[in-house]
């Protein structure tokens, strides 16, 4: 039986076409493996590409979009279920609630916000859902370097990397998403690090 996979990705119309193609490949692979999609509910750019490819492959798609972005991102009315939320916070909460695993594709500041929220919660033991970054072109290489630097400087613990998978391969990304991850045991120091 398939799982519900949440895909975080770009909705910008200026995105490199290679990223749109990657999103379509991810949607097709998701459907091929019998999973369902939870997305940001837009029909444009990478977000639209992953949803269309998933539906074309027979997958059920759920789009979650805040009211303020319905006209900006152009809501994906073809979704099997389209959920309109009052704001971004409730959007992320709804996507989290409906998902069994998270796949991060290249994206901008909104994608990074989603990635960090899910990643932090995983590190703190608030969920044990798989989290995978699919990055064949190295968009997130500077982020990995930044996080490695934070660990080296004692600002983060090395186990942050136990909470996330990184790959350049679409099939490997889904292999990682389908693999149960052991829960992380947070410490008092972990909680202290997560405070602003």
């Amino acid at each position: 039986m398939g799982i519900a996979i949440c895909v975080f990705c770009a909705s910008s119309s200026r995105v490199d076409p290679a990223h749109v193609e990657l999103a379509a490949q991810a949607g097709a692979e998701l459907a091929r493996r019998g999973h369902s999609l939870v997305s940001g509910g837009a029909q444009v750019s990478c977000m639209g590409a992953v949803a269309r490819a998933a539906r074309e492959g027979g997958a059920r798609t759920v789009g979650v979009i805040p009211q303020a972005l319905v006209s900006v991102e152009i809501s994906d009315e073809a979704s099997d279920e389209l959920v309109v939320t009052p704001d971004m916070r409730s959007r992320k909460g709804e996507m989290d609630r409906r998902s069994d695993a998270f796949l991060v594709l290249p994206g901008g500041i909104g994608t990074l916000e989603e990635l960090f929220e899910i990643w932090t919660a995983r590190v703190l033991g608030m969920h044990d859902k798989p989290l995978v970054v699919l990055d064949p072109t190295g968009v997130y290489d500077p982020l990995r370097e930044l996080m490695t630097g934070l660990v080296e400087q004692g600002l983060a613990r090395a186990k942050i990397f136990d909470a996330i998978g990184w790959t350049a391969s679409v099939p490997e990304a889904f292999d990682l998403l389908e693999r149960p991850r052991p829960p992380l045991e947070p410490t008092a120091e972990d909680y202290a690090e997560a405070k602003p």
Side-chain angles (χ1 to χ4, degrees):
M1 183 167 175
I3 59 175
I5 298 176
C6 181
V7 177
F8 298 135
C9 60
S11 62
S12 170
S13 60
R14 296 179 297 279
V15 71
D16 186 319
H19 299 320
V20 178
E21 174 58 28
L22 176 66
Q25 291 173 12
E29 183 70 6
L30 177 148
R32 188 184 73 76
R33 293 184 182 225
H35 303 311
S36 62
L37 171 71
V38 177
S39 78
Q43 63 169 298
V44 296
S45 190
C46 297
M47 215 178 283
V50 70
R52 283 190 298 276
R55 279 193 295 274
E56 286 169 7
R60 183 175 191 274
T61 64
V62 176
V64 184
I65 190 167
Q67 182 63 56
L69 296 182
V70 166
S71 60
V72 177
E73 291 186 342
I74 313 174
S75 58
D76 185 10
E77 300 295 335
S79 295
D80 294 294
E81 183 180 358
L82 183 64
V83 180
V84 179
T85 64
D87 53 39
M88 289 292 283
R89 287 177 184 264
S90 52
R91 175 200 217 179
K92 290 184 295 178
E94 188 68 15
M95 293 170 80
D96 183 3
R97 185 181 70 78
R98 290 170 173 263
S99 303
D100 302 308
F102 301 91
L103 177 64
V104 182
L105 305 180
I109 192 168
T111 304
L112 287 172
E113 179 192 21
E114 292 161 335
L115 164 60
F116 275 113
E117 186 165 324
I118 295 299
W119 193 358
T120 301
R122 178 79 171 90
V123 169
L124 297 179
M126 295 178 177
H127 72 82
D128 59 1
K129 300 174 183 180
L131 169 62
V132 175
V133 175
L134 173 56
D135 184 22
T137 58
V139 168
Y140 292 120
D141 285 353
L143 173 62
R144 293 180 76 176
E145 291 172 13
L146 171 65
M147 300 310 291
T148 299
L150 293 178
V151 171
E152 290 170 352
Q153 295 178 56
L155 297 169
R157 288 184 154 50
K159 73 176 185 180
I160 63 171
F161 291 110
D162 296 336
I164 190 168
W166 301 80
T167 183
S169 159
V170 173
E172 183 180 23
F174 283 89
D175 290 345
L176 292 170
L177 290 166
E178 293 168 347
R179 187 177 307 147
R181 306 277 303 215
L184 299 177
E185 296 297 330
T187 65
E189 289 179 353
D190 293 327
Y191 283 100
E193 286 174 358
K195 291 180 181 176

